[in-house]
Every structure is written in structure tokens, then in C-alpha cells.
Amino acid sequence: MLHMPLAEIIKKISTTSKLPEDKIQEMIKAKCDSHDGLVSEEGAAYIVAHDLSVELFKIPDESGARMAIKDLVVGLRNFEIVGKVARVFPIREFQKKGKTSQVGNFNIIDESATTRIVLWDQKANIIKEGTLKQGQVVKVKNGMIKSSDFSPNGKEIHLNIRSQLILDVEEEVNVQIPDASESGSSGAVIETSLDHIQANQKIRSLGTIVRVYPPAFYDACPQCNKKVFDNKCNEHGAVESAPAMVLSLIIDDGKGAIRCTAFSNVAETISGLSGKEAKEKTENIVLFQEELDNKLLGLEVEFEGSVRDNKQFDRIEVTINSLNLNLNPVAIAKQLTKD
């Protein structure tokens, strides 16, 4: 069944209809109220999209047809995409029913967007063997599209027994991929412990959230999430700004501790609240802080981020790009016991 998250529905309706997102949310609430609560917010959003003649799903006319990455939707299975390999991540091994399994992933980019491809077991061998390389043009056919907080476009494609990954496709993909040999500009992610990180690195690490700071907020464009002043966005002009959240944490991996900061959508994913909801809760900051502490303190997490040198406070910090709150404890133990 095709599925689109509520936030994505609202964004697509807003982009197509040129109405601000808060207006769309008001229309969705009105639909829910008019149906006496018998329709969910998501269901009401589909009705609003229909009323505004917004096509949420751009489905190909025939099974297995070529699609742009930006048009992929959760639940779609019969499709084909072509793009360049933008980044290849290391293989991870884990125990399942007494057997060792493996999973690998890589990012693929076309002229429209970037998404993540997930490879399981034997299919992941092309990463282990070094066959898959950054900059290759590849074709993906008939994967399973799922929601993901860690993929650039919020979706990831899992390749199963029906799926195909074809390497070195002779097609033109007009996007630029950074040269992996260029130090500091390749975007390569380093798996490391927190006592070894350095400024300007992009890292992936495991650790435990040991402190949560009260969130801060800034006025953001509801379409691009960039900071705005006096309700004016450099890209979208006059807008009705929405509060965007900044959430800071201390993460400790037993070897070191680091202050990490998440902005906007990443902060919302971690807290489970929209920027607007979070700002409303700060009216009683003591209760809100207690809520955040109860939710997050002590959680073992995997995170990716960019390391920066905060010269004002003379310390190294991490800007979080993604954070996984639901980890396999076996995988955590393996990572933490590496040499």
C-alpha cells in the first residue's frame, strides 16, 4: 500500500497550492472536526489534497517504468531508477537466529534528489568486495521503498530477491559527485569513538545520551526551514514563519563525551515534537525538561554528524545529521568492544 507521512503530505500540498503549511494544517483540522473525529489527520490530509487538486502520488503508467528519485513513494515496488553512487557506507554485521548476517547501504543521486539503498546479506557483498564505487552510474529495479529518518529524502530502498542492482550503466546522469580522493571534500563518513574525533570530520558513532539541554528556537521558512527575518525568506520571499527547534545533547561512548546539536527536522525527530509543539511546551519549561529527560536520558544511540571547532567556547562539537533511537543491543555491544 502506498503511503506518505503526514508531514510530507502537508509539505507537498503547500508547495503545489502555494498555501502556507500552517494554513494546510488548519484545513486538515477542520476536516477532522467536520467528520466528528472519525477521520484521522492523515486521512483528512488526503481529502484536503483532493479538494485542492493536488496529486500526491506520481505513479508511472506501466509497471517497472523509470521514475525520478523525488517521485518515489513508500510502498511502491515496481519501478526503475538510474543514478550515480554518491556515498558508500561500511558493511555492518549482526546476529540473527544464531547466524551472522550483514547489511550495507549506499546513497544514490539523480538530477532530482538523493536516496539510500539498503543491501542485505549476499547482496551486500558488492560493498565488502569493493565492487561498488563512488561515482558509478547504477540502475535499481523493483526494490521495496520504506520510510527512513536516515536517508536524505526520508525514504530508503531495500533490495530483496526480486530486486536488481545493475552496475556501470551506460547512461548520462548530470550530477556532480565529490572526488573521494580529495581530503576533506569527499563527504566520507568515519566510524570512530568520541575520544578520537577532530574538527571538519564527518563521523558515525555510538553512545549514550547523558544530558539534554532546554531547546532553543528560531523563525524559519515553512518551505525550506532556513532562518528568516521579519517573515522574509531569501529563497521564497514573504512567508509566515514557523518556529524551528535547536536541541543540544551530551553523548558519551565510555571513551569520550561530546556536545551535539540537532536543528529543525532532526531535532523534531529526536524529540518527537514539531517545532511549534515544542515551543508551546516551553511555557512550562520545568515539566517540558522533565519530559525530554524521561524520553531521552540513558538511550543508546547511533548518530552521524559534522564535527566543528566552536572557538567561542574552545571546544569540539558535533552537528547531528541523523540519529537512530532504536538500536539492536547486540550491534551496540559489538561496536563498543572493537579495538
Side-chain angles (χ1 to χ4, degrees), residues 3 44 48 54 75 78 84 98 122 135 157 173 179 196 233 249 271 284 297 303 319 338:
H3 175 260
V48 170
V54 175
N78 298 316
K84 280 186 181 179
Q122 295 300 315
I157 303 171
V173 180
D179 186 349
H196 287 150
C233 173
L249 318 162
S271 67
N284 191 329
L297 286 183
F303 65 100
T319 299
K338 283 184 177 180

Side-chain angles (χ1 to χ4, degrees), residues 40-65:
S40 67
E41 279 191 294
E42 188 173 304
Y46 281 104
I47 297 173
V48 170
H50 179 269
D51 291 346
L52 295 174
S53 300
V54 175
E55 183 182 9
L56 294 176
F57 301 111
K58 186 177 180 180
I59 306 302
D61 295 331
E62 57 186 76
S63 177

Side-chain angles (χ1 to χ4, degrees), residues 3 34 44 48 51 78 125 132 141 185 193 202 231 246-248 254 286-287 316 322 325 337:
H3 175 260
S34 68
V48 170
D51 291 346
N78 298 316
N125 283 338
L132 186 71
K141 301 180 71 173
S185 64
S193 58
K202 292 183 179 179
N231 287 325
V246 182
L247 187 63
S248 293
V286 175
L287 285 179
I316 296 292
S322 66
L325 297 169
T337 54

Side-chain angles (χ1 to χ4, degrees), residues 4 8 30 45 70 78 83 103 111 128 130 134 151 172 177 200 225 227 252 281 287 326:
M4 185 179 291
E8 190 172 334
K70 70 177 179 61
N78 298 316
V103 61
E111 292 88 346
K128 181 181 287 187
Q134 187 182 49
S151 178
E172 187 70 26
I177 302 296
N200 302 318
N225 282 329
K227 194 170 185 177
D252 191 314
K281 283 178 174 286
L287 285 179
N326 301 298

Side-chain angles (χ1 to χ4, degrees), residues 70-126:
K70 70 177 179 61
D71 294 326
L72 297 176
V73 293
V74 173
L76 189 65
R77 293 172 182 264
N78 298 316
F79 63 91
E80 175 184 293
I81 58 171
V82 171
K84 280 186 181 179
V85 177
R87 183 186 297 178
V88 182
F89 298 93
I91 290 288
R92 290 184 174 276
E93 294 187 345
F94 58 95
Q95 296 293 319
K96 184 178 181 181
K97 297 181 179 179
K99 296 182 179 180
T100 300
S101 297
Q102 63 181 9
V103 61
N105 61 80
F106 67 95
N107 287 351
I108 180 175
I109 182 172
D110 68 5
E111 292 88 346
S112 70
T114 304
T115 194
R116 182 163 81 162
I117 310 293
V118 181
L119 306 169
W120 296 94
D121 298 321
Q122 295 300 315
K123 287 186 179 293
N125 283 338
I126 63 168

Side-chain angles (χ1 to χ4, degrees), residues 141-169:
K141 301 180 71 173
N142 301 332
M144 180 185 299
I145 303 176
K146 299 182 178 182
S147 297
S148 171
D149 292 330
F150 308 101
S151 178
N153 69 335
K155 310 175 187 72
E156 60 188 20
I157 303 171
H158 290 242
L159 301 191
N160 53 35
I161 195 170
R162 294 181 56 253
S163 308
Q164 287 182 277
L165 174 61
I166 304 170
L167 306 182
D168 298 315
V169 176

Side-chain angles (χ1 to χ4, degrees), residues 20 131 170 190 227 334:
T131 307
E170 294 185 359
I190 301 169
K227 194 170 185 177
K334 282 192 170 187

